Amino acid sequence: MTVLETTFAAARDHKRIAEIAAVLGRFGVDDIAIRLGLGGLLPKRRTRASHTDSESRSQPERLRLAIESLGPTFIKLGQILSTRADLLSPEWITELEKLQSDVAPEPWEAIRAQVEEDLGASPDTVFLSFAHTALAAGSIAQVHRATLQDGTDVVVKVRRAGLRPLVEADLRLLSHAAGLVEAQWPEFARYRPREILHHLGTAMGEELDLAAEGRNCEAVAQNLAAMERIKIPRIFSEWSSERLLVQEYIDGIVPNDHAALNAAGLDGRELARTGTTAFLRMALVDGLFHADPHPGNLRALPGNRVAFIDFGMVGRLGARRREQLLMLVAAIVETSGERVAALLMEWSGAADIDLPRLEAACDIFVARHGVPPLRLGEAITDFMALAREHDLALPADLALLFKALITADGVMRSLDPNFDALAVAGPIVQEEMIRRYRPGALMGKGKSLALDFAGLATEAPSLLRLLALRLRQGRIAAEVELKGLDRIGADIRWAATRIAVAIVTAAFALGLAPRLLDFGPTLLGIPVTALLGIAVILGGVAWLLVPRRR
């Protein structure tokens, strides 16, 4: 037994490993199993009746078929990988995008007991009507139509029975595999397999918890409450739980049914503008967005209203990430390839990169996409390809957002072929930039920055002494030519003094900023925001004024 098999056996998952190895062998992706140390579990070639058929297919197609056979956890992993155009070439992305989670629904008798347990009674008594035949089914859950006692039409989403133990076993196996890949094949480290698996675990946890899906739906509804043309399904939490979700049924037209849209007299341009405005507000303003806005999860309603349904897959962006995205849009509009390159390097964390080559590529990128109309899907596709060509892996949250934006842009462009995403994004970006950098917000940032500076001023001398010690001990790997090592201690003490004085001076000046606001937006005719800049300059002057000791 290999080391990997031993590890997995100890994790109580040996049976599942054998199933995975058998599927990989059946679809002719043996090399993956062999590289993971599972070659001994592969079926013999002469017993694989379908192997010849598999060999006639491309490797990406064989892997996609194997993933579909392995169930919901692997399907979700494949869907996540389909968002990583910064890592995978187009032929792999195209095939992974075909992953289907639609499966035959479980018969009513197989789930009746679970539904009754979750409702606390028979659905035939809880609801005025309940359809025992599923309306739709996926690998995680299936959906039934129903009517509440007050006549409200709803859909009841039911998680498949016995699913959690299988998903948890698969996540354990994949986590071990990710660690093995990073340890044994450094060339795959840039793919960040453990980060991808962490993202997978989070996504699966939310998909398995239907109550969490309901909370996400309610949060988005609250965030977009001011948008009268946006409809989010109402959640009936009194009947919902981890394995069962009851939500409002929304009867509308799918946006790619152009004949029905025309018959209903709906305006594709207005629908596209409304849908895009809502999505960009979710992502750039609220930080909680629908991560799978394909046509089946959108509905066009009378009055050119747009409904978002099925919040089983959502994405989250922190304040810092949203700020970076605003900077990216601004860099594209201003055709600043240098700023795009800087963001790419920050996101990837790459240390060894050909910066002139990257900046030249970014200049070409902004020259192509910085002129209206902005075709958002094309721009993001090119951006991801640019990252891939320079071996720059993007954070998982960004990859999910970019994939969702490409999907949404495709839907909106089908509604309006001349759709200009920048015409919608521009006002949102401008509004957010004003909100984030108005004097009040800057004062809040100044307070936080002052505290950070004060703490750093206290810690700087000890940190620099520790740096000098580790340099002497050779405990830091750095490509630095050290000349005059005997003087480094004195030089570092001098540098520490300069840093401390500069930081304390800047922190002191920034600490005065809230008091300055008492005098109004200007003081002696100078804008308070300009005074903040003066504070930083004072810090730099203080740095230069500290004499160097020899």
Side-chain angles (χ1 to χ4, degrees), residues 251-255 257-268 271 299-305 415:
D251 187 15
I253 302 171
V254 292
D257 188 347
H258 299 292
L261 292 174
N262 291 332
L266 298 180
D267 187 335
L271 291 169
R299 295 291 184 273
L301 307 176
N304 293 315
R305 300 171 70 215
L415 290 167

Side-chain angles (χ1 to χ4, degrees), residues 36 41 56 60 63 80 85-86 144 151 164 215-216 295 304 312 336 378 388 410 416 443 446 449 472 479 547:
L36 290 175
L41 296 178
S56 66
L63 179 61
I80 289 174
D86 57 319
H144 295 255
R164 185 174 285 279
R215 291 191 294 272
N216 290 333
N304 293 315
S336 174
E378 292 180 10
R388 184 179 66 251
D416 177 12
M443 291 309 101
L449 188 60
R472 289 195 187 100
E479 295 179 6

Side-chain angles (χ1 to χ4, degrees), residues 316-521:
R316 289 180 173 82
L317 298 171
R320 174 58 180 157
R321 184 74 78 224
R322 299 198 302 274
E323 194 170 271
Q324 290 172 330
L325 287 166
L326 293 173
M327 292 177 182
L328 176 62
V329 175
I332 293 174
V333 172
E334 296 171 10
T335 61
S336 174
E338 182 179 349
R339 286 163 60 188
V340 172
L343 278 171
L344 265 173
M345 288 190 296
E346 182 176 353
W347 283 336
S348 68
D352 53 340
I353 185 169
D354 186 343
L355 183 57
R357 176 172 169 264
L358 175 62
E359 289 184 341
C362 290
D363 285 338
I364 295 173
F365 169 78
V366 296
R368 179 180 179 188
H369 297 289
V371 180
L374 174 63
R375 296 183 176 273
L376 191 59
E378 292 180 10
I380 294 174
T381 300
D382 284 354
F383 185 78
M384 300 279 271
L386 190 155
R388 184 179 66 251
E389 290 166 3
H390 291 265
D391 291 334
L392 301 175
L394 300 176
D397 58 347
L398 275 182
L400 182 63
L401 171 66
F402 287 164
K403 176 64 175 179
L405 283 170
I406 291 172
T407 302
D409 184 66
V411 176
M412 302 312 161
R413 200 161 294 286
S414 72
L415 290 167
D416 177 12
N418 298 316
F419 181 68
D420 180 8
L422 193 59
V424 176
I428 295 174
V429 171
Q430 184 178 21
E431 176 186 327
E432 272 299 283
M433 295 291 274
I434 292 173
R435 185 183 69 82
R436 288 172 181 269
Y437 298 105
R438 69 182 189 274
L442 284 175
M443 291 309 101
K445 291 177 182 289
K447 289 179 182 178
S448 176
L449 188 60
L451 291 174
D452 290 343
F453 276 169
L456 182 58
T458 303
E459 296 177 8
S462 60
L463 289 173
L464 287 167
R465 280 195 294 271
L466 179 61
L467 173 62
L469 176 63
R470 291 188 173 178
L471 282 170
R472 289 195 187 100
Q473 293 175 342
R475 291 173 60 189
I476 296 180
E479 295 179 6
V480 179
E481 183 181 0
L482 296 178
K483 294 183 179 179
L485 188 60
D486 57 330
R487 301 204 318 263
I488 194 169
D491 288 345
I492 285 181
R493 283 193 296 273
W494 170 75
T497 304
R498 295 171 76 202
I499 290 173
V501 172
I503 289 174
V504 169
T505 304
F508 176 75
L510 287 170
L512 291 176
R515 299 296 182 188
L516 294 175
L517 281 181
D518 295 338
F519 296 95

Side-chain angles (χ1 to χ4, degrees), residues 135-152:
L135 177 67
S139 59
I140 299 289
Q142 58 192 56
V143 176
H144 295 255
R145 287 288 304 274
T147 306
L148 297 180
Q149 294 292 343
D150 64 2
T152 302

Side-chain angles (χ1 to χ4, degrees), residues 152-429:
T152 302
D153 288 331
V154 297
V155 290
V156 181
K157 192 172 186 178
V158 182
R159 196 179 78 191
R160 288 182 175 269
L163 193 58
R164 185 174 285 279
L166 174 64
V167 170
E168 290 176 347
D170 285 346
L171 288 174
R172 283 194 298 271
L173 300 180
L174 288 168
S175 179
H176 281 290
L180 182 70
V181 167
E182 285 199 3
Q184 295 198 6
W185 299 293
E187 67 270 24
F188 292 113
R190 83 174 189 90
Y191 291 87
R192 300 176 182 174
R194 281 190 282 196
E195 180 184 309
I196 292 174
L197 260 295
H198 174 75
H199 183 202
L200 172 65
T202 301
M204 290 303 299
E206 288 204 335
E207 284 213 42
L208 287 175
D209 186 354
L210 299 187
E213 176 181 338
R215 291 191 294 272
N216 290 333
C217 186
E218 289 177 322
V220 171
Q222 183 176 357
N223 290 339
L224 300 181
M227 295 190 66
E228 297 180 353
R229 287 191 173 187
I230 293 298
K231 174 70 175 175
I232 307 295
R234 177 187 172 190
I235 301 297
F236 297 89
S237 54
E238 63 269 33
W239 300 117
S240 300
S241 62
E242 180 186 340
R243 300 184 303 186
L244 187 143
L245 180 65
V246 180
Q247 59 186 313
E248 176 186 6
Y249 173 72
I250 296 180
D251 187 15
I253 302 171
V254 292
N256 56 358
D257 188 347
H258 299 292
L261 292 174
N262 291 332
L266 298 180
D267 187 335
R269 291 184 60 187
E270 285 300 314
L271 291 169
R273 176 176 288 273
T274 299
T276 302
T277 300
F279 187 87
L280 291 178
R281 286 200 170 275
M282 284 188 241
L284 299 180
V285 180
D286 305 320
L288 175 66
F289 62 92
H290 194 304
D292 195 19
H294 63 75
N297 286 337
L298 297 169
R299 295 291 184 273
L301 307 176
N304 293 315
R305 300 171 70 215
V306 176
F308 289 80
I309 63 174
D310 191 354
F311 285 82
M313 188 174 179
V314 298
R316 289 180 173 82
L317 298 171
R320 174 58 180 157
R321 184 74 78 224
R322 299 198 302 274
E323 194 170 271
Q324 290 172 330
L325 287 166
L326 293 173
M327 292 177 182
L328 176 62
V329 175
I332 293 174
V333 172
E334 296 171 10
T335 61
S336 174
E338 182 179 349
R339 286 163 60 188
V340 172
L343 278 171
L344 265 173
M345 288 190 296
E346 182 176 353
W347 283 336
S348 68
D352 53 340
I353 185 169
D354 186 343
L355 183 57
R357 176 172 169 264
L358 175 62
E359 289 184 341
C362 290
D363 285 338
I364 295 173
F365 169 78
V366 296
R368 179 180 179 188
H369 297 289
V371 180
L374 174 63
R375 296 183 176 273
L376 191 59
E378 292 180 10
I380 294 174
T381 300
D382 284 354
F383 185 78
M384 300 279 271
L386 190 155
R388 184 179 66 251
E389 290 166 3
H390 291 265
D391 291 334
L392 301 175
L394 300 176
D397 58 347
L398 275 182
L400 182 63
L401 171 66
F402 287 164
K403 176 64 175 179
L405 283 170
I406 291 172
T407 302
D409 184 66
V411 176
M412 302 312 161
R413 200 161 294 286
S414 72
L415 290 167
D416 177 12
N418 298 316
F419 181 68
D420 180 8
L422 193 59
V424 176
I428 295 174
V429 171

